[in-house]
Amino acid sequence: MKISRREFLKKLGQAGLAALGAKVILEESFSAQPSYPNLVVVKGRDAEKMLEKALNELGGIKRFVKRGSTVVLKPNAAFAQPPKVGANTHPEVLQAMIRLCKKAGAKKIIVAEHFLAPPDVALKVNGLGAVAEKENVEFLILHDRKLYRRVDIPKGKVLKSDEVAQCVLDADVFINMPVAKVHGGSILTLGMKNLMGTNWDRGYWHRADLHRCIADYSTRVKPHLIVLDAITLMLTNGPGGPGDLKQLNTLVVGTDPVAVDSYGASLFDMNGRDIPHIRYAYEYGLGQIDLKKLKIKYLTV
């Protein structure tokens, strides 16, 4: 009987995994199952209800978060802007995800970010620090190089290796929680771009080839779940804002990084192929870029 790589790793047990230096090898993500939609797009005003409904369509939070697991959440928290500006993941979305992970029995929940603004200022202004404090979870500030570990990126064309946050590499579950907005360098910030906050040297990506680096990195660091915050779209002056806004009150939830980002691009009246790093990721085989080929479930809460 053929067994999957994940099943093989489980059979190795903790001792074997420790020998490999990681609890989780992020070479594969939970792929969408035939019985589940590829994406769930949910509209509403209550983030927790929206997220729970969306996840129920994907098999429920317990499909992703097992009792006793360590979960790392990666919102976009890099900017010292209030929630109304749309520069960061909305605090209510982060709080909803934390609470659902707790309900699922997560042993430890870590929220992590490599900030652009001074972390203490950003966390005070954007409201995400208050959420972590209220929910009694750790907010890990990824500003110390000792918190990173270099890994190979065998499929990378520009990035052959990179320094990735150890908490992401060691997590049982890694959930990417980007906010949807425009970006002066990458055109849009969606899911794969948000992973940039888990690597050490942002500058190299900009100096080398930003779009290619985003796609290369995504071949190695693959979230188990992606929750795209499209509550408030930032249409201009991204990524930090303030800029023109569009209120959508929407979350896009899925496991396919290309599908989530391609749908996210459509919210800006673009096609996934218009964004080079989404197109490159599709060409790497990381997911589906053609929205017509996706099974999308639409909900209103």
Side-chain angles (χ1 to χ4, degrees):
M1 180 179 68
K2 184 178 181 180
I3 64 173
S4 68
R5 180 176 176 77
R6 184 173 297 278
E7 291 168 331
F8 172 73
L9 289 171
K10 285 182 179 177
K11 289 177 182 296
L12 283 178
Q14 291 297 322
L17 291 173
L20 289 172
K23 290 181 181 177
V24 173
I25 307 298
L26 296 177
E27 293 177 345
E28 59 177 347
S29 63
F30 291 3
S31 58
Q33 300 298 314
S35 59
Y36 302 127
N38 301 104
L39 295 177
V40 181
V41 179
V42 56
K43 284 182 171 289
R45 299 281 184 177
D46 185 318
E48 190 164 346
K49 289 181 179 176
M50 292 164 67
L51 190 52
E52 187 166 24
K53 286 279 188 183
L55 288 170
N56 285 344
E57 295 292 333
L58 295 171
I61 183 65
K62 292 184 179 179
R63 175 186 166 209
F64 302 95
V65 178
K66 307 300 183 187
R67 183 167 295 280
S69 59
T70 296
V71 183
V72 171
L73 307 178
K74 170 59 180 75
N76 192 321
F79 297 92
Q81 292 282 16
K84 65 181 181 181
V85 172
N88 303 288
T89 303
H90 198 285
E92 292 178 4
V93 179
L94 176 64
Q95 181 170 277
M97 192 73 250
I98 291 172
R99 290 180 173 180
L100 289 173
C101 289
K102 287 180 175 178
K103 285 182 182 178
K107 180 180 70 177
K108 186 174 184 179
I109 300 169
I110 301 170
V111 185
E113 175 65 295
H114 190 176
F115 289 81
L116 292 171
D120 55 337
V121 178
L123 286 172
K124 184 176 181 179
V125 174
N126 63 30
L128 296 167
V131 168
E133 185 175 353
K134 181 178 180 181
E135 297 297 329
N136 194 29
V137 300
E138 179 184 4
F139 204 118
L140 183 58
I141 297 169
L142 298 172
H143 279 217
D144 186 338
R145 198 166 188 169
K146 294 178 181 176
L147 297 173
Y148 293 80
R149 186 162 74 237
R150 182 166 290 280
V151 298
D152 292 333
I153 303 178
K155 296 179 182 178
K157 293 188 176 181
V158 172
L159 286 181
K160 296 298 182 183
S161 69
D162 208 346
E163 290 171 275
V164 182
Q166 292 185 42
C167 64
V168 171
L169 295 170
D170 294 341
D172 297 310
V173 186
F174 173 44
I175 300 176
N176 190 18
M177 303 185 65
V179 66
K181 58 183 177 177
V182 297
H183 190 286
S186 61
I187 305 175
L188 295 176
T189 283
L190 300 165
M192 289 184 280
K193 171 64 175 63
N194 193 45
L195 297 177
M196 198 169 179
T198 66
N199 95 307
W200 172 248
D201 189 355
R202 294 168 174 269
Y204 178 76
W205 289 25
H206 284 282
R207 294 191 301 274
D209 180 339
L210 180 58
H211 286 284
R212 182 60 72 181
C213 287
I214 293 170
D216 285 356
Y217 195 78
S218 297
T219 66
R220 184 65 177 84
V221 179
K222 299 181 179 181
H224 298 97
L225 180 66
I226 306 152
V227 178
L228 175 63
D229 172 359
I231 302 292
T232 303
L233 298 187
M234 181 188 289
L235 303 176
T236 61
N237 203 29
D244 296 336
L245 304 175
K246 183 178 181 180
Q247 201 69 28
L248 285 188
N249 300 313
T250 296
L251 298 177
V252 182
V253 184
T255 59
D256 178 334
V258 179
V260 170
D261 280 13
S262 188
Y263 190 90
S266 76
L267 300 176
F268 294 85
D269 297 323
M270 297 182 191
N271 185 294
R273 288 184 171 82
D274 295 333
I275 314 299
H277 66 262
I278 301 176
R279 188 174 69 248
Y280 296 156
Y282 169 68
E283 291 168 354
Y284 283 147
L286 298 182
Q288 179 55 257
I289 201 170
D290 188 347
L291 299 183
K292 293 180 180 177
K293 295 181 179 179
L294 296 173
K295 181 181 177 183
I296 304 175
K297 179 75 174 183
Y298 293 93
L299 301 171
T300 299
V301 176

